[in-house]
Every structure is written in structure tokens, then in C-alpha cells.
């Protein structure tokens, strides 16, 4: 029930398609991540084809210029500005026997761009990190970096992620879900549901899109007066909303990477409070360059425990390749898992590569290990 990777021509380097951008609100961060990967990948070992997806869903052939993919001041990059043509489209194969990439432009004969041996998808959020792209690559029989269809989908949906964690005995914080029909059909009942939750767990609460990342669309709600505005802000990114209670404690992150003998955990990191921000939001992460502490100042026992839990979370969600697992170390000394990210950012200030750098795996080696793990795997059931 799987398709084996075809044998490469003698002397030909593996061809890597780096796919980035996308239709989600994390488009710009995906572009930044792609720039970092392009800068790090070993060109003596791999041929590289950068493919950007615009915010309206067009697959574009883009410039191979990492410098143009960086955040400039407070200006975020986009695929539209990197595309070689405003109308040209890249077409991926849909049959497992064919890995030929084709480029088309209106009024021109389609041009073959050659075969692709592996895809490195650095898409964040819906329409890329959530199993949609992974499913397409499975149909095409093309190996790819990172989690498969199920793990990608679960890793994107915070509600079902938490349900799986609970079923595996991992501690999660209190949460409530507001589904689209609840808010659209009976807003007052949905509001009462959240107020009852606040009555049990206290204020403040956090309202967030259930299927987004990078702290986009998240609001800290201090009392009932700010609830509607916070929910509407989250709904701009996802009609399903997650409401979480405040967990008092330290924010600890840990990376997991797939080695030949299985997943291993990195040294953990700590995200300290950011004075200019009420929580670790998008601007704190990417614009104001908030930096974490690597390694986290934990005891040996705490370090061992969070590494163990990170690998357990990786296995619980059936992940492959990589994961960043985010925890709270509560005031009573318990690690509570917040979420996993199946395609964490690879920006220059991203925590995942920093944790592995401190563990002894350099950025270029990290990229190489992910590509080699993908090339070892077959597509299909495994």
C-alpha cells in the first residue's frame, strides 16, 4: 500500500522543491522561513526549486534570493513580490508515476522544469500545514518533509490535538470550544458558555482561532466586556474558537527531531515574559525579535521530564520529521502541554533551530536530516 521512491539517475543530486507562502494568515512567516532554508541548504548535495503559493492560491515560480524573503524593518515579505511572473503557474503532477513539474504562462507553450524527488513544505497554518498539501503529495507519490496527513491535521486543530493528548495521559490546561454554529445561531448561549467557564477558572481568558498559529488572532480577555471583540478577532482567522484559562507558570519549549533510530528531544528553551507585550504574540515573536533562553534554566530532572513528554507528544499525534512541543511549567512543578507545531518556524530567531543548535545539530545539518528522513520514507500507508 505504498509507492517506493524511484531510483535517481546516477550522479544526479536529489531535487528539492521548497514550497512556501500560502493562503493562511501566516503567509509572510512562511516566506521568511523559506528564505532561511534556502540560505542553509547544501547546494553541492541538492538541487533546489523554490515554489511560492500566493495568498490567492496561485503556485508561482519564484526567485531563489533569500535576502528578499526577510522581514525588512516592519515590512513583511510576500510571494507576489517574489514571483517571476504575475500570471505564470507551476503545476505539480497528480500521478505517482510522474514527478515532472510543469510551468505555464498564458499564450506560451508549457515548460518542463524537471522531476522533483522531495518536497520541503514550509507552509504555516491552514491550506498547507494542516494535511491539505500532504494529501496532495501522497496522491502524487512525492516524498515530503514533516508530518503526514493525519498528524498535520491534528497538529493544526487545537481542539482535537488536546483531545488526543488527554487520551494519552498528557496534562492539558482548561479549555472550551465555540463552534461556528454556536456563535452564528445563538450568540447569547455561546457567550454564557464562556462566562460559565470564566466563573469556574477565572479571568483573564485567552480567545484564539482553533486552527491557526504564530499567535495570530489571539486576544487576552480581562473581563466580560472584551469577550465579543476577542471572539470576533479570532473568527477573522477561523470560525471555530478556542477559549483557554490562564496558566500561571513558565513557558517551556522543546524540539523533537526524527533520527535513524527514532525521535529525539533537544535541550529545552524558555520564553521569558516580554515587557512590551501582554503575552507572546505575533509582534513579540517576529517583529520585536523577542528572544528565548536556550537552554532553559531547569533542573536536570525537569529537563529530562520535558524531553520525555515532548517525545510522547510526538508519538501521540503520530508525527514524522519534526515537532516543537510547547509547555507550561506551572507553579506546582507540573508540565502542562499547550500544543505541538508540526512545521515550526525556521526564521533566524525561531526557537526550534536554536534549540537544536544548542543540542549539537547545526542549522544546515538540521535541514539535511529532515530531507534525508523524507527521502527514506515511502508515501502511502506506513
Amino acid at each position: 500500500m505504498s509507492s517506493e521512491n524511484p531510483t535517481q539517475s546516477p550522479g544526479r543530486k536529489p531535487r528539492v522543491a521548497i514550497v512556501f507562502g500560502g493562503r493562511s494568515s501566516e503567509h509572510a512567516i512562511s516566506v521568511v522561513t523559506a528564505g532561511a532554508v534556502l540560505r542553509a541548504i547544501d547546494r553541492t548535495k541538492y538541487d533546489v526549486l523554490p515554489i511560492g503559493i500566493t495568498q490567492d492560491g496561485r503556485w508561482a515560480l519564484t526567485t531563489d534570493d533569500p535576502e528578499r524573503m526577510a522581514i525588512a524593518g516592519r515590512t513583511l515579505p510576500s510571494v507576489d513580490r517574489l514571483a517571476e511572473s504575475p500570471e505564470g503557474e507551476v503545476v505539480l503532477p497528480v500521478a505517482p508515476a510522474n514527478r515532472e513539474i510543469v510551468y505555464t504562462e498564458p499564450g506560451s507553450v508549457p515548460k518542463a522544469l524537471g522531476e522533483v524527488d522531495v518536497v520541503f513544505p514550509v507552509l504555516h497554518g491552514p491550506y498547507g500545514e494542516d494535511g491539505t498539501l500532504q494529501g496532495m503529495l501522497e496522491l502524487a507519490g512525492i516524498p515530503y518533509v514533516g508530518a503526514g496527513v493525519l498528524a498535520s491535521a491534528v497538529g493544526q486543530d487545537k481542539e482535537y490535538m488536546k483531545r488526543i493528548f488527554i487520551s494519552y495521559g498528557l496534562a492539558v490546561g482548561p479549555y472550551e470550544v465555540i463552534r461556528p454554529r454556536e456563535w452564528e445561531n445563538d450568540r447569547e448561549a455561546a457567550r454564557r458558555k464562556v462566562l460559565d467557564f470564566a466563573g469556574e477558572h477565572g479571568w483573564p481568558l485567552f480567545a484564539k482561532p482553533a486552527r491557526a498559529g504564530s499567535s495570530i488572532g489571539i486576544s487576552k480577555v480581562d473581563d466580560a466586556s472584551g469577550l465579543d471583540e476577542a471572539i470576533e478577532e479570532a473568527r477573522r482567522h477561523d470560525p471555530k474558537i478556542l477559549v483557554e484559562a490562564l496558566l500561571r507558570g513558565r513557558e517551556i519549549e522543546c524540539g523533537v527531531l526524527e533520527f535513524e533510530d527514532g525521535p529525539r528531544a533537544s535541550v529545552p528553551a524558555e520564553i521569558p515574559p516580554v515587557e512590551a507585550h501582554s503575552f507572546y504574540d505575533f509582534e513579540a515573536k517576529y517583529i520585536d525579535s523577542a528572544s528565548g533562553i536556550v537552554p532553559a534554566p531547569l533542573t536536570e530532572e525537569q529537563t529530562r521530564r520535558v524531553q520525555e513528554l515532548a517525545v510522547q507528544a510526538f508519538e501521540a499525534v503520530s508525527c514524522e520529521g519534526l515537532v516543537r512541543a510547547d509547555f507550561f511549567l506551572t507553579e506546582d512543578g507540573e508540565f502542562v502541554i499547550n500544543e505541538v507545531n508540526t512545521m515550526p518556524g525556521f526564521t533566524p530567531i525561531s526557537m526550534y533551530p536554536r534549540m537544536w543548535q544548542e543540542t549539537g545539530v547545526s542549522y544546515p545539518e538540521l535541514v539535511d536530516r529532515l530531507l534525508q528522513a523524507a527521502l527514506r520514507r515511502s508515501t502511502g500507508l506506513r
Side-chain angles (χ1 to χ4, degrees):
M1 297 292 291
S2 65
S3 57
E4 295 298 325
N5 298 344
T7 302
Q8 292 170 207
S9 303
R12 184 171 74 82
K13 294 182 287 187
R15 194 131 189 262
V16 181
I18 298 175
V19 180
F20 63 96
R23 295 163 54 192
S24 83
S25 55
E26 298 172 77
H27 176 97
I29 298 309
S30 175
V31 177
V32 176
T33 298
V37 172
L38 284 169
R39 193 178 293 111
I41 197 167
D42 185 350
R43 303 304 179 101
T44 68
K45 193 171 181 178
Y46 302 100
D47 284 329
V48 179
L49 178 67
I51 300 174
I53 303 176
T54 64
Q55 287 176 304
D56 63 3
R58 178 172 64 94
W59 289 54
L61 195 61
T62 68
T63 179
D64 184 357
D65 185 357
E67 300 308 316
R68 291 181 58 196
M69 299 178 177
I71 297 174
R74 303 183 82 83
T75 301
L76 300 175
S78 73
V79 169
D80 282 299
R81 289 196 287 269
L82 296 166
E84 293 190 355
S85 162
E87 296 182 297
E89 293 188 4
V90 173
V91 180
L92 266 67
V94 293
N98 174 27
R99 292 188 180 174
E100 186 84 21
I101 303 291
V102 176
Y103 181 68
T104 66
E105 284 197 75
S108 300
V109 176
K111 180 173 65 175
L113 299 179
E115 292 189 347
V116 164
D117 298 296
V118 62
V119 171
F120 198 143
V122 292
L123 296 153
H124 302 307
Y127 312 110
E129 192 184 352
D130 58 351
T132 50
L133 176 65
Q134 290 75 13
M136 186 184 75
L137 294 172
E138 292 285 353
L139 288 173
I142 302 176
Y144 53 92
V145 168
V149 176
L150 174 65
S152 296
V154 170
Q156 191 65 42
D157 192 312
K158 295 177 176 64
E159 176 195 359
Y160 289 99
M161 185 196 311
K162 290 177 186 292
R163 288 179 182 273
I164 287 176
F165 289 155
I166 292 168
S167 73
Y168 274 80
L170 296 166
V172 304
Y175 72 96
E176 187 59 86
V177 178
I178 304 298
R179 302 184 185 283
R181 283 194 295 272
E182 291 181 273
W183 189 251
E184 293 159 8
N185 296 343
D186 193 343
R187 185 170 298 192
E188 187 56 39
R191 190 182 292 113
R192 283 198 305 272
K193 183 177 177 180
V194 177
L195 293 176
D196 289 345
F197 180 79
E200 182 178 356
H201 299 287
W203 300 94
L205 302 176
F206 291 88
K208 61 177 65 175
R211 295 163 291 194
S214 291
S215 302
I216 292 174
I218 300 179
S219 300
K220 183 181 179 183
V221 188
D222 292 314
D223 54 47
S225 65
L227 182 59
D228 282 22
E229 181 181 356
I231 290 176
E232 291 296 347
E233 170 58 23
R235 281 174 53 83
R236 290 200 311 112
H237 305 278
D238 184 350
K240 184 166 79 166
I241 307 306
L242 200 73
V243 177
E244 295 178 328
L246 173 67
L247 287 176
R248 301 188 184 279
R250 300 160 62 186
E251 293 189 46
I252 305 295
E253 298 183 349
C254 191
V256 180
L257 178 63
E258 182 182 342
F259 286 74
E260 289 82 357
D261 60 350
R264 303 181 198 172
S266 70
V267 299
E270 180 169 4
I271 308 299
V274 184
E275 292 184 4
H277 301 267
S278 60
F279 62 98
Y280 196 45
D281 62 4
F282 179 88
E283 292 223 342
K285 283 184 180 180
Y286 299 112
I287 304 299
D288 294 341
S289 301
S291 58
I293 302 168
V294 187
L298 301 171
T299 66
E300 288 186 13
E301 174 58 26
Q302 288 172 330
T303 296
R304 184 200 61 76
R305 179 58 177 157
V306 76
Q307 290 173 326
E308 180 182 85
L309 290 171
V311 171
Q312 287 180 20
F314 181 96
E315 299 283 26
V317 183
S318 297
C319 288
E320 294 168 292
L322 72 164
V323 143
R324 193 195 70 230
D326 300 346
F327 298 85
F328 289 100
L329 177 56
T330 63
E331 293 173 342
D332 62 2
E334 180 183 21
F335 281 105
V336 175
I337 190 163
N338 184 36
E339 64 182 26
V340 293
N341 192 315
T342 58
M343 185 50 69
F346 277 73
T347 68
I349 62 169
S350 293
M351 298 308 301
Y352 186 85
R354 287 184 59 197
M355 288 186 287
W356 279 108
Q357 177 75 43
E358 187 67 24
T359 309
V361 180
S362 69
Y363 196 118
E365 183 185 351
L366 181 61
V367 170
D368 183 62
R369 281 192 172 277
L370 290 170
L371 288 169
Q372 290 300 315
L375 286 165
R376 285 194 303 269
R377 289 198 305 264
S378 61
T379 53
L381 298 180
R382 54 188 182 272

